[in-house]
Amino acid sequence: IDVVSPVWSAMESERAGDCRLLQTGPRSEAAQAFDIGTGRTNYWQKIKSPSLLALHFMPQGWVCQNMARLAVLDQKMIDSVDHLQNVIHPHQVEAARDQISAELHHHHSFYTYLAKNIIPSMRAPLRATAFAECSVGQAFLVCALERYRLANGDYPATLHALVPQFIPLLPPDPINGEPFQYRLTGPGRFLLSSVGWDEKDDHGSPLDAAENGDWVWGRM
């Protein structure tokens, strides 16, 4: 099951759709799509929404500038996802989030005024996507490990022993693209883990309160 590619495709499609709507769509439709001033039904309520006023009265050139900034900043987050390898790079996600926040929320310009209301916050969805891809990959491996145990009486010393009889290819850790961390911990017992969002091998230590640690099968 590929969890990463559909999310990457959705990000690409959303950016294209947002830019197209800003470029050619009616301003009222854009306001509804981007949830700008929704729920304001009368004239006095509408003029109290600076974003709604900006959207309706901005020159088209300013709107295009917002569209351009939206496209460029969205690309920084999209680049953190390697949809061909099913990998999401947390350090790129965090860097993109910081850069987007710095540009949109600390620099006041009509060229970015609309973009900051439109650009989605993708850090949490991408972390959830990586976690889901990790869970799928680990479940796939655990099924192969159990098949190996039934055939050979115990679990293998390494994951590579599963290929190709019990699994065609080893799924990668969605954080770094490397094989999952695996080791035997006793008779009939093993530890299977991902390096997790902090991108560090914590040798199987599960997540702590600060969300540091590995994503360990059975303890996530």
Side-chain angles (χ1 to χ4, degrees), residues 28-41 45-46 49 51-52 55-56:
S28 58
E29 184 179 340
Q32 184 176 5
F34 302 138
D35 196 25
I36 297 177
T38 54
R40 300 176 185 267
T41 57
Q45 288 178 327
K46 290 179 179 179
S49 173
S51 299
L52 185 61
L55 179 61
H56 278 291

Side-chain angles (χ1 to χ4, degrees), residues 163-181:
V163 181
Q165 182 178 357
F166 301 97
I167 195 171
L169 293 171
L170 295 178
D173 186 330
I175 298 299
N176 58 14
E178 301 293 328
F180 284 98
Q181 305 296 313

Side-chain angles (χ1 to χ4, degrees), residues 83-105:
H83 69 287
L84 298 178
Q85 300 296 324
N86 285 359
V87 172
I88 295 174
H89 301 286
H91 66 281
Q92 291 182 236
V93 174
E94 303 291 353
R97 181 191 62 172
D98 293 344
Q99 187 170 355
I100 291 169
S101 177
E103 179 156 346
L104 294 185
H105 299 289

Side-chain angles (χ1 to χ4, degrees), residues 154-168:
D154 203 351
Y155 296 113
T158 68
L159 292 177
H160 294 287
L162 299 173
V163 181
Q165 182 178 357
F166 301 97
I167 195 171

